[in-house]
Amino acid sequence: MSCSENDGNILMVSKEQLESSSTDEGSCSGSSTGGGTVNLKKGPWTTAEDALLISYVQKHGEGNWNAVQRHSGLLRCGKSCRLRWANHLRPHLKKGAFTTEEEQFIIQMHSKMGNRWARMAALLPGRTDNEIKNYWNTRVKRRSRAGLPLYPTKVNLQTSDENQLIQSATELSSGNQQNIGILPGTINGTLELRFLPHKANPGPPPYPPHFSDIPVTAMPSHGLGYYTRCFLNPQGDHAKQTWESETSFPGCHFGLKSMVPAFEDLSSLNSEPVYLNPGIGYPHDPDPESKKNLASFICPIPGNHALSNGNFSSSRLLPGAVKMELPSLQSTEADYNDWNTSASLFTSSYDAVDSYIQSPENVSVQSDCASPKNKGLLEDLVQESKAISIGKKQSLEKSFDDTMTGSSTVKLEDIRDPTSPFCLSAVSLFNECSAKQDKCAPNLPDFLRPDVLLGSGWFIGNSRSAIDSISGPLGENLREDLVPGPAGISSMASLESYPWTNMPRVCQMSELQ
DNA sequence: AACGGAAACAACCGCCGGTAA
DNA sequence: CTTACCGGCGGTTGTTTCCGT
């Protein structure tokens, strides 16, 4: 760090310091402003500074943030400027409390992606990664204090299905492959997504997509949230392909509606399969400048300022600049009412391969997020406790049965087209998973993955005490519900019940074996 | 009204990957 | 191929606001 703090929030940085700053971009450094000392301000931004920054961006566009200070006279480092712009000054930022849908979506996404705040933000129109992160951290704290599992029960339960899919993915590496599409159908009144031969998909042709990377990140420190990701990335330009939702969907109440049917719309699809496609919503457009085409296709809503002024977003929405969350290879199922459909539907739209959605549970419970404005937290917790108590056994058994009997409707072995992005991604996914595992616990395959941990029984030995530790305040019913039943279920419940103060990290988990 | 705790928000820090020189 | 720079991301911390007592 080349900055030294001085007088509160003014950093005195000598030219020598700046010039000698190496690759460490951790703090504000690298200003090449000529002449002696540069005072870089820290702390809260003033309106005057905001105005300077806005003015700069309007003139020069986003990017080149380190030049902001040079050109605008703003005494802020580039990173600070970028952050300020991204989190506060960008157009079409949505301020205020998260809606219930957004909250549910975040929970769902976190169960699949872990702490990929930026990626979640890319899927939540008008929301920033920082907002989501703050929301999540608050939630973690809250639920930790209440001794509740971080995720709704059924989100955890997805993990066994993920195992199944991962396993199926391995088969792809050697089997025949064929293009796939996604067919949401219905079973028992909920959406079900199935892979279909790609040719079966009507509508605009997708990009000739390829999935470029499926990195597997380290576990979140709280030990939950394995995920993978994969982007539809027809142009190979990672840096510029962030799909900035507020750019894409300004004016959308919930921007994803413009890409996928609204919840209420989807609920009406119960009796009819709906063809989705990996490229849904993203018509091929070879012209990188034709933003309007894409915009009108994705979100035919008037008043698309971002596109009309053509000046916004470092994460410009390029044609094909589609960030597509891909196979986290988990099914989704939640304890909640609307959550059952809505969140799952979200998921199905993003995670094209991640499309096994289980039947809903006929358990009427309240969302822990349902209360407006994030208030009524105690109520939420009480409700969730009740929900767990009432519905958990039922849900667990059903989900477990579905998993164990192979009722999953995603059959990756049927996906055999070598040109299929999903095939590639699935294989890559597996490879990367494997590679990552090797790093951490070479002889304990899969133990990087909480879902595998959940199903591995690693915790069984300690489960009773952990269950006791959290179920105590929640009553005996819950305790009983958490007590190991079938192996898979019990181990899942066990991790769910892992004491918050002692949540093992992944490698530690493997060592526990 | 004062106080304390929790929640929400804002900003900084360090690491990392991509890229150009 | 190496190095430096830039920008993005996620973690963390500090501050402010809200709310219950």
Side-chain angles (χ1 to χ4, degrees), chain A residues 5 46 108 115 138 185 193 225 258 376 394 396 409 483 495:
Chain A
E5 193 139 6
T46 64
Q108 178 73 7
N115 297 357
T138 300
L193 299 179
S258 55
Q394 225 179 324
L396 287 171
T409 52
V483 166
L495 183 57

Side-chain angles (χ1 to χ4, degrees), chain A residues 7 14 33 67 81 118 124 126 140 155 204 261 290 330 339 342 345 350 362 405 420 429 450 459 470 493 499:
Chain A
D7 281 339
S14 71
T33 304
C81 293
L124 273 178
V140 166
V155 174
S290 58
Q330 295 179 345
W339 168 226
S342 60
L345 290 171
Y350 311 136
N362 296 323
T405 58
S420 164
L429 168 64
F459 187 65
I470 76 157

